[in-house]
Amino acid sequence: MKNASRIATGRMSTEEILNAGNDGTPNDVINAAAQGRLRTMIERLERLFEDIAMLQGDAKEVRNEAKGEGFDVKIIMMVIRARRKDKVKREEEEALFDLYMSTIGEV
């Protein structure tokens, strides 16, 4: 278990981890339970990335639909960003924006 203790303390390089056990000795770097847990996490992440890609495709379709009906998609996205913010924070930002614009004579 020498290799496992080196991993736990962060003293083993990635190359050493990957090459551990290549000399015919059993690979004791990552035990079976940890291997299974790692595989499970990787597979979950892969599924989540697939879901994200599908959702991004769906969002693109909705944006294209909005654009096709004559809506300004950039403004729609601004509305969505504004709705995500806390109302008080949004109002404060709008007040500061108005103040700055009036300060430079743009309003």
Side-chain angles (χ1 to χ4, degrees):
M1 291 305 250
K2 179 181 176 186
N3 288 340
S5 66
R6 289 182 66 199
I7 289 175
T9 59
R11 288 185 245 150
M12 191 169 192
S13 71
T14 303
E15 185 175 338
E16 289 175 308
I17 293 169
L18 294 174
N19 292 327
N22 288 345
D23 59 356
T25 61
N27 187 346
D28 63 352
V29 175
I30 301 177
N31 67 29
Q35 289 175 3
R37 185 76 176 122
L38 177 61
R39 179 179 307 280
T40 300
M41 286 188 281
I42 289 171
E43 289 169 352
R44 284 174 54 202
L45 284 167
E46 287 172 338
R47 284 191 302 273
L48 288 169
F49 289 139
E50 289 172 5
D51 292 348
I52 289 168
M54 286 189 305
L55 290 171
Q56 288 173 333
D58 292 347
K60 183 175 182 178
E61 286 178 24
V62 173
R63 287 191 304 269
N64 287 338
E65 182 181 337
K67 185 176 180 180
E69 292 186 24
F71 294 106
D72 188 321
V73 176
K74 183 177 176 181
I75 302 303
I76 289 173
M77 297 309 293
M78 288 173 62
V79 169
I80 292 170
R81 279 190 299 275
R83 288 171 47 112
R84 286 182 180 170
K85 292 180 186 176
D86 176 65
K87 182 180 178 184
V88 173
K89 183 170 177 64
R90 184 176 67 239
E91 289 172 349
E92 179 182 318
E93 288 176 0
E94 290 171 357
L96 283 171
F97 179 80
D98 292 341
L99 174 65
Y100 291 1
M101 289 296 284
S102 66
T103 300
I104 62 171
E106 293 293 323
V107 177

